Amino acid sequence: MMNAYEEYMREVSRPMREELTSAGFEELTTIEEVDTFMNNNDKPALVVINSVCGCAAGLARPAAVRSLSHDKKPVQLVTVFAGQDREATTQMRSYFEEVEPSSPSMAIVQNGKLQYFIPREQIEGHDMEDIIQQLQEAYNKYC
């Protein structure tokens, strides 16, 4: 049974989830979904660790979506939601051992391995065009 706070946060985060899922991102909400994805992703994938943080997440989600207009781009798109789907987020982060946990953040993964990572520090306070450019440069290299 959900308490009032959890229910409130589910409602607050709904449009933030939909911003990505309506653009084709698949939500991974359980440890098993994350493991299945990471153990089977043989093509470049963009992982967005979503967040309710207004400053950085308000840039990360639209930048991730807009970056996909590039000629070269990831084949798979997935997202986990920090603070909401805690176990799934912790499990996804376990595959990113070489980087500090960061929300929001974005990663390119392939064959269960981290290829590229954009932490919150490279999102918050940056122009959206800079974030899109970071992603598209990574797509050129890893996709």
Side-chain angles (χ1 to χ4, degrees):
M1 174 180 278
M2 258 190 246
N3 67 34
Y5 175 75
E6 289 170 335
E7 185 62 35
Y8 170 77
M9 289 307 296
R10 287 256 175 236
E11 286 303 312
V12 166
S13 67
R14 186 180 320 265
M16 297 170 198
R17 290 175 182 272
E18 290 171 356
E19 188 171 359
L20 293 175
T21 58
S22 67
F25 283 80
E26 175 188 356
E27 276 193 300
L28 306 177
T29 60
T30 67
I31 291 170
E32 295 77 20
E33 289 173 345
V34 169
D35 285 340
T36 298
F37 168 74
M38 290 300 283
N39 290 321
N40 295 299
N41 90 304
D42 58 348
K43 295 179 174 60
L46 176 61
V47 177
V48 174
I49 298 181
N50 203 349
S51 169
V52 296
C53 167
C55 304
L59 291 169
R61 287 186 300 272
V65 171
R66 287 185 44 204
S67 74
L68 299 172
S69 66
H70 196 55
D71 291 337
K72 288 183 90 173
K73 59 187 167 199
V75 175
Q76 297 175 286
L77 308 170
V78 298
T79 182
V80 294
F81 206 115
Q84 297 295 303
D85 302 317
R86 289 183 175 98
E87 292 87 8
T89 303
T90 298
Q91 189 65 10
M92 182 61 78
R93 287 177 172 155
S94 76
Y95 289 94
F96 305 162
E97 292 176 344
E98 56 270 25
V99 298
E100 291 290 319
S102 182
S103 301
S105 57
M106 295 178 265
I108 296 177
V109 299
Q110 185 171 0
N111 296 319
K113 302 257 188 259
L114 179 65
Q115 303 295 313
Y116 184 80
F117 189 77
I118 300 175
R120 176 190 181 107
E121 293 79 30
Q122 290 175 243
I123 299 169
E124 188 172 31
H126 291 272
D127 291 332
M128 184 166 322
E129 293 306 318
D130 292 338
I131 302 163
I132 293 169
Q133 183 177 357
Q134 285 181 69
L135 285 167
Q136 292 177 342
E137 288 174 1
Y139 300 164
N140 286 337
K141 185 172 182 178
Y142 299 104
C143 298

